[in-house]
Amino acid sequence: MEPSKLGQLWGVGVGPGDPELITLKAARLLKTRPVVAFPAGRNNQPGMAQNIVAAWLQPDQVQLPLYFPYVQDATLLEAAWKTAADQVWPYLARGEDVVFATEGDASFYSTFTYLAQTLQHHHPEVVVHTVPGVCSPLAAAAILGEPLALQAQRLTVLPALYTLTDLDVALDHADVVVLMKVATVYPTVWKILQRRQLLHRSRVIVRASQFNQEIYRTLENYPTLQLPYFSLLITHCGQSIR
Protein backbone atom coordinates (compact mmCIF):
# COMPACT_ATOMS: atom_id res chain seq x y z
CA MET A 1 0.00 0.00 0.00
CA GLU A 2 1.27 3.48 -0.82
CA PRO A 3 2.32 5.53 2.22
CA SER A 4 0.08 8.37 1.04
CA LYS A 5 -2.94 6.08 1.38
CA LEU A 6 -2.15 5.09 4.94
CA GLY A 7 -3.25 6.84 8.06
CA GLN A 8 -0.53 8.32 10.21
CA LEU A 9 0.31 7.53 13.83
CA TRP A 10 0.61 10.43 16.26
CA GLY A 11 2.17 10.03 19.69
CA VAL A 12 0.80 12.85 21.83
CA GLY A 13 2.12 13.64 25.30
CA VAL A 14 -0.82 14.77 27.43
CA GLY A 15 1.04 15.75 30.58
CA PRO A 16 1.15 14.41 34.15
CA GLY A 17 -2.53 14.70 35.03
CA ASP A 18 -3.92 18.23 34.84
CA PRO A 19 -6.00 18.33 31.60
CA GLU A 20 -4.97 21.96 31.04
CA LEU A 21 -1.32 20.92 30.70
CA ILE A 22 -1.92 19.90 27.09
CA THR A 23 -0.43 21.78 24.16
CA LEU A 24 -2.65 23.43 21.60
CA LYS A 25 -1.38 20.99 19.00
CA ALA A 26 -2.25 18.01 21.19
CA ALA A 27 -5.74 19.38 21.80
CA ARG A 28 -6.32 19.91 18.07
CA LEU A 29 -5.22 16.39 17.20
CA LEU A 30 -7.29 14.85 19.99
CA LYS A 31 -10.39 16.62 18.75
CA THR A 32 -9.98 16.07 15.03
CA ARG A 33 -8.43 12.65 14.38
CA PRO A 34 -10.84 9.72 13.88
CA VAL A 35 -9.17 7.30 16.31
CA VAL A 36 -7.75 8.05 19.76
CA ALA A 37 -5.84 5.25 21.50
CA PHE A 38 -4.44 5.19 25.04
CA PRO A 39 -3.12 2.68 27.56
CA ALA A 40 -5.96 0.68 29.06
CA GLY A 41 -6.67 1.20 32.75
CA ARG A 42 -6.62 -1.50 35.38
CA ASN A 43 -9.58 -3.24 37.02
CA ASN A 44 -12.01 -1.95 34.36
CA GLN A 45 -11.22 1.65 35.34
CA PRO A 46 -10.10 4.38 32.92
CA GLY A 47 -6.35 4.87 32.77
CA MET A 48 -4.63 8.16 33.50
CA ALA A 49 -4.19 9.22 29.87
CA GLN A 50 -7.82 8.38 29.13
CA ASN A 51 -8.97 10.55 32.03
CA ILE A 52 -6.77 13.43 30.91
CA VAL A 53 -8.08 13.49 27.33
CA ALA A 54 -11.74 12.71 28.05
CA ALA A 55 -12.83 16.35 27.84
CA TRP A 56 -11.27 16.77 24.40
CA LEU A 57 -12.82 13.79 22.65
CA GLN A 58 -15.82 13.88 20.30
CA PRO A 59 -18.77 11.41 20.23
CA ASP A 60 -17.96 10.15 16.73
CA GLN A 61 -14.35 9.25 17.47
CA VAL A 62 -13.20 5.68 18.03
CA GLN A 63 -11.66 5.26 21.48
CA LEU A 64 -9.14 2.43 21.50
CA PRO A 65 -7.72 1.21 24.84
CA LEU A 66 -4.52 -0.80 24.41
CA TYR A 67 -3.22 -3.18 27.07
CA PHE A 68 0.38 -2.83 28.26
CA PRO A 69 1.33 -5.04 31.23
CA TYR A 70 3.37 -3.78 34.20
CA VAL A 71 5.97 -6.55 33.97
CA GLN A 72 9.66 -6.86 33.13
CA ASP A 73 9.41 -10.13 31.21
CA ALA A 74 10.65 -9.30 27.71
CA THR A 75 8.58 -12.03 26.05
CA LEU A 76 5.34 -10.81 27.64
CA LEU A 77 6.13 -7.19 26.83
CA GLU A 78 6.95 -7.87 23.19
CA ALA A 79 3.76 -9.90 22.81
CA ALA A 80 1.72 -7.01 24.26
CA TRP A 81 3.39 -4.49 21.94
CA LYS A 82 2.65 -6.73 18.95
CA THR A 83 -0.99 -7.12 20.02
CA ALA A 84 -1.35 -3.36 20.42
CA ALA A 85 0.23 -2.74 17.01
CA ASP A 86 -2.14 -5.27 15.44
CA GLN A 87 -5.09 -3.39 16.95
CA VAL A 88 -3.91 -0.05 15.55
CA TRP A 89 -2.87 -1.27 12.10
CA PRO A 90 -6.36 -1.84 10.59
CA TYR A 91 -7.27 1.82 11.14
CA LEU A 92 -4.03 3.03 9.57
CA ALA A 93 -4.51 0.61 6.67
CA ARG A 94 -7.92 2.20 5.99
CA GLY A 95 -6.31 5.62 5.80
CA GLU A 96 -7.44 6.77 9.27
CA ASP A 97 -5.02 8.64 11.50
CA VAL A 98 -4.55 7.30 15.02
CA VAL A 99 -3.57 9.49 17.96
CA PHE A 100 -1.99 7.65 20.86
CA ALA A 101 -2.35 9.67 24.07
CA THR A 102 0.38 8.99 26.61
CA GLU A 103 0.79 10.57 30.03
CA GLY A 104 3.75 12.90 30.36
CA ASP A 105 5.87 13.29 27.25
CA ALA A 106 5.74 10.89 24.32
CA SER A 107 9.55 10.55 24.16
CA PHE A 108 10.29 10.35 27.89
CA TYR A 109 10.05 6.74 29.15
CA SER A 110 6.85 6.41 27.16
CA THR A 111 4.91 3.31 26.11
CA PHE A 112 4.31 5.08 22.80
CA THR A 113 7.90 4.39 21.72
CA TYR A 114 7.36 0.63 21.83
CA LEU A 115 4.07 0.85 19.97
CA ALA A 116 5.60 3.02 17.23
CA GLN A 117 8.72 0.87 16.87
CA THR A 118 6.68 -2.34 16.70
CA LEU A 119 4.35 -0.89 14.06
CA GLN A 120 7.24 0.35 11.94
CA HIS A 121 9.01 -2.98 12.27
CA HIS A 122 6.04 -4.83 10.78
CA HIS A 123 4.84 -1.98 8.54
CA PRO A 124 7.87 0.19 7.62
CA GLU A 125 5.69 2.43 5.46
CA VAL A 126 3.82 3.86 8.47
CA VAL A 127 4.56 7.52 9.14
CA VAL A 128 4.95 8.38 12.83
CA HIS A 129 4.80 11.82 14.43
CA THR A 130 5.61 12.74 18.02
CA VAL A 131 4.07 15.71 19.84
CA PRO A 132 5.91 16.66 23.04
CA GLY A 133 4.17 17.12 26.37
CA VAL A 134 4.90 18.11 29.96
CA CYS A 135 6.78 15.35 31.77
CA SER A 136 6.36 14.77 35.50
CA PRO A 137 9.77 16.06 36.70
CA LEU A 138 9.09 19.43 35.08
CA ALA A 139 5.57 19.54 36.50
CA ALA A 140 6.90 18.62 39.95
CA ALA A 141 9.51 21.39 39.89
CA ALA A 142 6.86 23.92 38.90
CA ILE A 143 4.56 22.75 41.70
CA LEU A 144 7.39 23.04 44.22
CA GLY A 145 8.21 26.53 42.96
CA GLU A 146 11.87 25.54 42.64
CA PRO A 147 14.10 25.34 39.56
CA LEU A 148 14.94 21.83 38.53
CA ALA A 149 18.44 22.85 37.50
CA LEU A 150 20.38 26.10 37.11
CA GLN A 151 23.45 27.22 35.13
CA ALA A 152 26.02 24.41 34.99
CA GLN A 153 24.20 22.04 37.33
CA ARG A 154 24.15 18.43 36.17
CA LEU A 155 20.75 16.72 36.19
CA THR A 156 20.34 12.94 36.36
CA VAL A 157 16.99 11.19 35.93
CA LEU A 158 16.76 7.56 37.01
CA PRO A 159 13.79 5.52 35.75
CA ALA A 160 11.85 2.97 37.75
CA LEU A 161 14.41 0.20 37.21
CA TYR A 162 17.41 1.92 38.81
CA THR A 163 19.52 -0.02 41.28
CA LEU A 164 20.76 1.39 44.56
CA THR A 165 24.26 1.36 43.08
CA ASP A 166 22.93 3.55 40.28
CA LEU A 167 21.58 5.94 42.90
CA ASP A 168 24.91 6.16 44.75
CA VAL A 169 26.72 6.88 41.48
CA ALA A 170 24.17 9.53 40.52
CA LEU A 171 24.42 11.24 43.90
CA ASP A 172 28.21 11.27 43.54
CA HIS A 173 28.23 12.91 40.12
CA ALA A 174 25.03 14.94 39.68
CA ASP A 175 23.87 18.17 41.28
CA VAL A 176 20.19 17.24 40.98
CA VAL A 177 18.78 13.70 40.92
CA VAL A 178 15.22 12.75 40.00
CA LEU A 179 13.98 9.28 40.93
CA MET A 180 10.97 8.21 38.89
CA LYS A 181 8.36 5.90 40.44
CA VAL A 182 10.19 5.78 43.76
CA ALA A 183 7.45 3.98 45.73
CA THR A 184 8.86 0.45 45.74
CA VAL A 185 12.35 1.45 46.91
CA TYR A 186 11.56 4.46 49.07
CA PRO A 187 12.61 3.05 52.50
CA THR A 188 16.06 2.09 51.20
CA VAL A 189 16.43 5.36 49.31
CA TRP A 190 15.57 7.21 52.53
CA LYS A 191 18.46 5.47 54.35
CA ILE A 192 20.89 6.43 51.59
CA LEU A 193 19.75 10.06 51.70
CA GLN A 194 20.03 10.02 55.50
CA ARG A 195 23.59 8.69 55.31
CA ARG A 196 24.49 11.42 52.86
CA GLN A 197 22.67 14.12 54.90
CA LEU A 198 20.39 14.94 51.98
CA LEU A 199 16.97 14.40 53.53
CA HIS A 200 16.40 18.15 53.98
CA ARG A 201 17.29 18.67 50.30
CA SER A 202 14.88 16.02 49.05
CA ARG A 203 11.23 16.32 48.09
CA VAL A 204 8.61 13.74 47.18
CA ILE A 205 5.74 14.70 44.86
CA VAL A 206 2.82 12.30 44.54
CA ARG A 207 0.48 12.48 41.52
CA ALA A 208 1.98 15.77 40.31
CA SER A 209 -0.61 18.28 39.02
CA GLN A 210 -3.59 16.04 39.79
CA PHE A 211 -6.41 17.10 42.12
CA ASN A 212 -5.16 14.70 44.81
CA GLN A 213 -1.45 15.50 44.60
CA GLU A 214 0.65 15.33 47.76
CA ILE A 215 3.93 17.10 48.55
CA TYR A 216 6.62 16.25 51.11
CA ARG A 217 9.06 19.17 51.15
CA THR A 218 11.53 17.52 53.51
CA LEU A 219 11.97 13.83 54.23
CA GLU A 220 13.65 13.98 57.64
CA ASN A 221 10.51 12.81 59.45
CA TYR A 222 9.35 10.29 56.83
CA PRO A 223 11.52 7.13 56.94
CA THR A 224 8.54 5.20 55.57
CA LEU A 225 5.77 6.38 53.26
CA GLN A 226 2.98 4.44 51.59
CA LEU A 227 3.45 5.90 48.13
CA PRO A 228 1.40 5.16 44.99
CA TYR A 229 2.88 4.30 41.61
CA PHE A 230 2.99 7.89 40.33
CA SER A 231 5.45 9.28 42.88
CA LEU A 232 8.82 10.86 42.24
CA LEU A 233 11.64 12.20 44.36
CA ILE A 234 13.86 15.18 43.64
CA THR A 235 17.17 15.59 45.50
CA HIS A 236 19.41 18.62 45.22
CA CYS A 237 22.86 17.25 45.97
CA GLY A 238 24.84 20.38 45.18
CA GLN A 239 23.92 24.00 45.76
CA SER A 240 21.48 24.40 48.62
CA ILE A 241 17.82 25.12 47.87
CA ARG A 242 15.57 27.19 50.04
Side-chain angles (χ1 to χ4, degrees), residues 15 76 116 140 159 161 163 168 173 209 213:
L76 292 177
L161 300 181
T163 68
D168 268 320
H173 296 284
S209 86
Q213 74 179 17

Side-chain angles (χ1 to χ4, degrees), residues 51-236:
N51 281 328
I52 293 171
V53 304
W56 299 99
L57 303 185
Q58 308 301 309
D60 59 340
Q61 289 175 298
V62 173
Q63 297 188 33
L64 184 63
L66 303 175
Y67 174 67
F68 299 98
Y70 290 120
V71 298
Q72 303 307 321
D73 185 290
T75 300
L76 292 177
L77 287 171
E78 290 175 7
W81 301 335
K82 177 62 165 58
T83 298
D86 288 344
Q87 290 177 265
V88 169
W89 168 246
Y91 297 99
L92 300 175
R94 290 198 295 267
E96 299 179 31
D97 283 4
V98 176
V99 172
F100 182 83
T102 180
E103 60 263 15
D105 176 83
S107 300
F108 187 72
Y109 301 118
S110 173
T111 302
F112 170 70
T113 300
Y114 305 109
L115 172 63
Q117 289 179 345
T118 303
L119 264 170
Q120 290 189 310
H121 174 74
H122 293 281
H123 306 283
E125 66 274 28
V126 171
V127 175
V128 176
H129 305 275
T130 303
V131 179
V134 178
C135 61
S136 56
L138 301 183
I143 290 163
L144 291 169
E146 299 169 349
L148 191 58
L150 289 171
Q151 297 179 339
Q153 288 183 327
R154 294 162 296 183
L155 171 66
T156 295
V157 179
L158 297 181
L161 300 181
Y162 57 82
T163 68
L164 298 177
T165 300
D166 293 334
L167 175 56
D168 268 320
V169 171
L171 292 171
D172 283 337
H173 296 284
D175 299 295
V176 183
V177 175
V178 176
L179 306 183
M180 306 289 291
K181 301 179 176 65
V182 71
T184 58
V185 294
Y186 176 80
T188 306
V189 168
W190 189 92
K191 292 177 182 177
I192 293 174
L193 297 176
Q194 181 189 46
R195 169 166 53 83
R196 289 174 171 265
Q197 300 183 344
L198 290 172
L199 291 173
H200 66 293
R201 295 188 181 186
S202 301
R203 290 85 168 91
V204 166
I205 303 89
V206 178
R207 295 179 291 263
S209 86
Q210 299 178 47
F211 73 94
N212 55 348
Q213 74 179 17
E214 300 174 24
I215 301 172
Y216 298 87
R217 291 186 176 272
T218 178
L219 302 183
E220 292 169 296
N221 297 324
Y222 298 102
T224 59
L225 285 173
Q226 297 299 315
L227 297 172
Y229 181 77
F230 289 107
S231 301
L232 64 81
L233 187 151
I234 299 176
T235 293
H236 288 255

